[in-house]
Amino acid sequence: MDTCRVPANASKCSGNTMECFMVLSTQAQKISIGILCGLFGTMCVFENSLVLYLIFSSPGIRKKPSYLFIGSLALADILASIIFVCSFVNFHVFNKSGFSKEVFLLQLGGVNTSFSASLSSLLLTALDRYISISRPSEYKLLMTRKRAWTALAVLWVTCATIACLPLLGWNCCVLDSVCSELFPFVDDNYQSGWVCFVMVLLGCIIYAYAHVLWRARQHVAYMEKHQAQVGKQNTHMRMDVMLAKTLVMVLAVLMICWSPVLVLMIYSIFARLSDHLRKVFAFCSTLCLLNSMVNPIIYALRSKELFSSLRRVFSNFRRQLKVTEESPEAESTHKSSMIET
């Protein structure tokens, strides 16, 4: 086991660095975490997989940059759910600490990459709506599919690079620096930098959506005033306003679910955390899964195109079931007619 400068409360852990971070002390706490992770993780994977299917199975939807960004968000949430649930439950519920420092940092890098990509996808979606509403006449020229795919590639590479810095050497074992109180082997300065990165992303998203909401209010007022005079353009504006409101709801859920985790991470940088607060942090971490689970529900309820595609999928599924149920009777009728002949 790698030796690092562990947190101040690690003295009671008998020198085992990994055990210092296993904060769930009772069986009830472990069962609760296991149930929450299993429920949220399973629903998240199912719902986001459905969103990806609806987007990429519909030619009209997948051509739009807005839905490419939403697809990136769904993919990030799927990866985050799988990696987070497996590593989190394995560590906190089953208390398995036999893996090496490199394996643990690789798992942590996967979780950070996925959640960072999820947040960054929301930022690209916010910028997409910002351009669509602020410069509608130039939107198709500015936001092309090629530029959207390029932006997504830059997004994922950047998030993966930042998340893998501890694995590449920026950790408290290699640097002989002070470790984080919340994550094994993670340097305290790296945690501060990652929190600042997340806060910058959130700030940019909030700024973009503030402008989107301001322009959406102007569009609503314009449509109410000129409802009888506008045609197709009015419909396009109404769709932009609807999508903008949808993404604002996504942002609101994001803030509610991520605020407790970020607040505790910031607090741990300036003060020591008690065992109780570290347990609270473990339970608050599952809210990140809740956020990933709620996002697809918002899409289905607010996006008319995705909702129509979902209804079409269910209609086809019911029709196939009906044909399957009727096929034995049809086959029996066909055989009896052949015998009579």
Side-chain angles (χ1 to χ4, degrees):
M1 181 67 65
D2 300 86
T3 57
C4 316
R5 190 185 304 178
V6 298
N9 58 356
S11 58
K12 57 186 177 183
C13 300
S14 303
N16 191 325
T17 304
M18 298 293 286
E19 289 183 355
C20 301
F21 298 88
M22 297 176 181
V23 296
L24 303 182
S25 55
T26 66
Q27 196 67 20
Q29 294 174 352
K30 295 179 181 180
I31 293 176
S32 299
I33 284 288
I35 293 175
L36 290 175
C37 288
L39 177 62
F40 293 163
T42 302
M43 293 297 297
C44 179
V45 170
F46 171 76
E47 293 172 0
N48 284 285
S49 298
L50 181 60
V51 169
L52 283 179
Y53 174 78
L54 294 177
I55 291 175
F56 290 100
S57 65
S58 304
I61 294 180
R62 67 169 178 260
K63 292 180 180 179
K64 298 182 179 180
S66 301
Y67 289 102
L68 290 179
F69 299 146
I70 292 177
S72 174
L73 175 62
L75 176 62
D77 286 338
I78 291 174
L79 295 177
S81 300
I82 295 174
I83 302 173
F84 177 84
V85 169
C86 293
S87 58
F88 195 80
V89 171
N90 192 44
F91 185 80
H92 283 289
V93 177
F94 297 108
N95 298 136
K96 292 185 179 181
S97 59
F99 39 80
S100 64
K101 175 192 69 177
E102 289 74 18
V103 173
F104 180 85
L105 291 178
L106 181 62
Q107 293 177 350
L108 184 62
V111 174
N112 286 346
T113 298
S114 303
F115 280 128
S116 299
S118 176
L119 190 60
S120 300
S121 297
L122 276 177
L123 175 58
L124 286 183
T125 310
L127 294 177
D128 174 73
R129 290 300 89 200
Y130 178 91
I131 297 173
S132 175
I133 289 185
S134 62
R135 305 174 70 175
S137 59
E138 305 174 26
Y139 173 76
K140 290 186 177 180
L141 295 176
L142 295 175
M143 190 58 67
T144 62
R145 281 174 53 84
K146 183 178 179 180
R147 290 181 178 179
W149 281 112
T150 302
L152 289 176
V154 172
L155 177 157
W156 281 90
V157 171
T158 301
C159 292
T161 302
I162 293 175
C164 290
L165 288 178
L167 183 62
L168 298 175
W170 191 355
N171 58 74
C172 54
C173 297
V174 174
L175 300 177
D176 193 25
S177 56
V178 177
C179 294
S180 167
E181 291 191 2
L182 296 173
F183 307 100
F185 311 121
V186 174
D187 180 75
D188 218 21
N189 292 326
Y190 172 80
Q191 179 179 314
S192 304
W194 191 83
V195 170
C196 291
F197 171 66
V198 172
M199 297 301 291
V200 169
L201 289 178
L202 288 174
C204 293
I205 293 173
I206 292 173
Y207 173 80
Y209 276 122
H211 185 84
V212 166
L213 281 179
W214 176 63
R215 293 303 297 265
R217 288 175 63 94
Q218 287 186 329
H219 281 178
V220 171
Y222 177 84
M223 287 186 292
E224 291 177 351
K225 186 176 180 180
H226 303 85
Q227 189 172 6
Q229 303 176 11
V230 292
K232 186 176 180 180
Q233 184 181 7
N234 191 359
T235 304
H236 178 69
M237 285 183 177
R238 189 178 292 111
M239 289 175 61
D240 283 342
V241 172
M242 177 68 72
L243 188 54
K245 291 180 179 180
T246 299
L247 298 173
V248 168
M249 291 175 62
V250 173
L251 177 61
V253 173
L254 177 78
M255 295 296 295
I256 293 173
C257 293
W258 274 85
S259 293
V261 172
L262 291 177
V263 168
L264 287 174
M265 289 179 69
I266 295 173
Y267 180 77
S268 70
I269 296 172
F270 300 101
R272 295 178 181 177
L273 294 179
S274 63
D275 290 340
H276 176 70
L277 285 179
R278 295 169 74 198
K279 291 179 182 179
V280 171
F281 178 80
F283 278 92
C284 288
S285 298
T286 60
L287 291 177
C288 303
L289 284 178
L290 178 62
N291 170 71
S292 299
M293 185 187 73
V294 170
N295 284 343
I297 299 176
I298 298 177
Y299 304 148
L301 292 178
R302 301 288 297 180
S303 172
K304 291 184 177 180
E305 292 176 293
L306 281 181
F307 187 71
S308 299
S309 181
L310 180 62
R311 291 181 60 184
R312 187 163 55 250
V313 169
F314 280 131
S315 297
N316 293 336
F317 180 71
R318 286 198 302 266
R319 190 157 48 245
Q320 290 177 359
L321 284 179
K322 188 176 181 180
V323 170
T324 304
E325 291 175 356
E326 293 177 351
S327 59
E329 298 178 1
E331 184 178 355
S332 176
T333 304
H334 176 70
K335 286 182 178 180
S336 62
S337 63
M338 289 292 292
I339 292 173
E340 292 176 359
T341 303

